[in-house]
Amino acid sequence: MLVLTRKAGEQIVIGNDITITLIEVRGGDVRIGIDAPRSVTVHRVEVLEAVSAANLSAAHASAADEDRIRALLAPASTAGSTEPPDDV
């Protein structure tokens, strides 16, 4: 990990198209600005971890959930079908 010391208003350039500007230091808080192309995703780690945890939780279905999904996806009975018979 590269560790740099910067003062408010100073910048760091990453590659050719990402600029990080130190906006303000107040107490224990640091405000930074990130200028990057739209194709570059920028996330706070705690948000990314929360989204990942929620996705993992949603991906794990219980046996009862799986049964309900199978029932919904099962072919419908033709008894109540509004389709005309093939021989008409």
Side-chain angles (χ1 to χ4, degrees):
M1 174 188 307
L2 173 63
V3 178
L4 300 172
T5 301
R6 301 276 77 201
K7 295 178 183 170
E10 294 182 332
Q11 298 178 319
I12 299 167
V13 177
I14 300 173
N16 293 323
D17 52 4
I18 300 172
T19 302
I20 298 175
T21 304
L22 183 59
I23 305 293
E24 178 182 22
V25 179
R26 185 184 303 165
D29 294 332
V30 177
R31 293 183 63 214
I32 61 171
I34 302 169
D35 184 21
R38 289 193 179 272
S39 60
V40 175
T41 57
V42 178
H43 299 284
R44 292 182 303 158
V45 170
E46 62 274 15
V47 172
L48 189 60
E49 288 171 350
V51 169
S52 295
N55 287 343
L56 283 173
S57 176
H60 295 293
S62 68
D65 290 336
E66 290 178 16
D67 290 341
R68 283 193 291 268
I69 292 169
R70 282 192 189 93
L72 290 171
L73 296 177
S77 170
T78 57
S81 175
T82 57
E83 300 269 332
D86 290 336
D87 59 348
V88 173

